[in-house]
Amino acid sequence: MYENLSGGWRQSRGRLRGGGRGGGGGGVPSERTASCLLLTLIIGVCCVHALEMSTGKVPFLEAVNGSTVLLPCTYASCIGITNLYFKWEFNDNGTMQKVADSVIPTDHVEPNKVNIYRERVEYVGSSKENNISILLWNVTFEDVGDYVCFGKNPKEKGKNHSAIFTLYVVEELREVDNTLTIMIASCVGGFIAFLMAFMLLKNFTLFVLAKIEEKNKECLVTSSGIENTENGLSGSKSTPKKA
């Protein structure tokens, strides 16, 4: 009975040890698995942001009628480009009108030809700077609206990217009323000037008081010396001479 129990105990312990070894082998991921997961994550993040089109931090402009304006657009890709197709379109009350388009063969290589489909438009981009901006000459009120900068990189298997730049045209630029700004600046400047004058006056007053106190100390020392001298002289005169 004891041997059976002992054997059973030994058998159970063996199963537990075996299970512990199996669980440890399957539960702890190897360094190889971790490296694969990290690489997959990096590739996934890169693919999400593979191509990015940008029209600047301020994607709008207010221009005077008859002036020339720059419609900016740049692109960036962490996986590189091959035959990047880009185009500019104008949103004319819901109807997209093509303004310009071309294909950039690869990184830092200029497109062979940029097709222009609208008057008063000039391509001024540079592939060396990832720039596909255009100029719009002699703008009119008909040019007001949204301009879409579009890009498509075949490396991304059909994904499209775009950015919008909005143009406003006015007869003349509005004058900004700076009255409040001038008043605030004047108040701040006056306060600073008053504070500086107060500090100068304070320092000058302290300097004068220090000089007066120093002079008074010198007078006291001089007076004490004179008194001591006079007392000494009077004492010497009153001393009787011995016969």
Side-chain angles (χ1 to χ4, degrees):
M1 185 70 178
Y2 177 78
E3 292 178 357
N4 292 336
L5 289 174
S6 177
W9 178 80
R10 284 197 298 268
Q11 186 178 4
S12 299
R13 185 174 62 177
R15 284 197 299 266
L16 288 173
R17 286 180 177 177
R21 286 193 298 269
V28 180
S30 63
E31 294 182 0
R32 191 173 187 180
T33 304
S35 300
C36 291
L37 289 174
L38 181 60
L39 181 61
T40 303
L41 180 61
I42 293 174
I43 293 175
V45 172
C46 189
C47 289
V48 171
H49 302 284
L51 180 66
E52 181 180 358
M53 313 298 291
S54 173
T55 52
K57 295 181 179 180
V58 183
F60 62 88
L61 176 67
E62 189 175 82
V64 178
N65 184 28
S67 62
T68 299
V69 298
L70 174 70
L71 304 183
C73 185
T74 57
Y75 63 89
S77 175
C78 68
I79 62 174
I81 61 170
T82 300
N83 294 326
L84 172 66
Y85 173 73
F86 74 89
K87 66 178 177 178
W88 277 93
E89 291 184 324
F90 173 62
N91 188 354
D92 186 10
N93 296 324
T95 302
M96 303 305 295
Q97 298 181 357
K98 190 180 292 186
V99 177
D101 72 345
S102 187
V103 175
I104 300 176
T106 187
D107 291 310
H108 309 303
V109 176
E110 301 297 335
N112 294 327
K113 180 183 179 182
V114 178
N115 303 309
I116 304 297
Y117 302 95
R118 187 168 179 169
E119 296 180 353
R120 300 178 287 108
V121 173
E122 178 185 356
Y123 177 75
V124 293
S126 173
S127 298
K128 294 180 180 179
E129 300 176 357
N130 295 351
N131 191 325
I132 51 175
S133 303
I134 58 175
L135 276 179
L136 187 57
W137 295 84
N138 300 324
V139 295
T140 66
F141 294 103
E142 296 179 355
D143 298 322
V144 174
D146 294 334
Y147 292 81
V148 181
C149 179
F150 172 90
K152 183 177 181 180
N153 187 8
K155 281 190 174 183
E156 295 185 14
K157 298 180 181 180
K159 290 185 178 180
N160 302 327
H161 304 272
S162 62
I164 299 176
F165 188 85
T166 304
L167 176 64
Y168 303 97
V169 179
V170 295
E171 190 64 39
E172 60 181 8
L173 293 178
R174 293 171 293 180
E175 294 184 2
V176 180
D177 188 2
N178 294 324
T179 304
L180 181 60
T181 304
I182 294 174
M183 290 177 62
I184 295 174
S186 300
C187 292
V188 173
F191 175 76
I192 294 175
F194 171 78
L195 187 61
M196 292 178 64
F198 174 77
M199 293 299 295
L200 290 173
L201 181 62
K202 178 183 176 181
N203 292 334
F204 178 75
T205 303
L206 293 175
F207 175 77
V208 172
L209 291 176
K211 286 295 183 181
I212 293 174
E213 185 177 358
E214 184 180 350
K215 190 173 183 181
N216 290 336
K217 287 182 180 180
E218 291 178 355
C219 291
L220 289 174
V221 172
T222 304
S223 300
S224 298
I226 293 174
E227 289 179 358
N228 293 332
T229 302
E230 290 178 351
N231 291 333
L233 291 173
S234 60
S236 60
K237 290 180 180 181
S238 61
T239 303
K241 293 183 179 179
K242 292 183 179 180

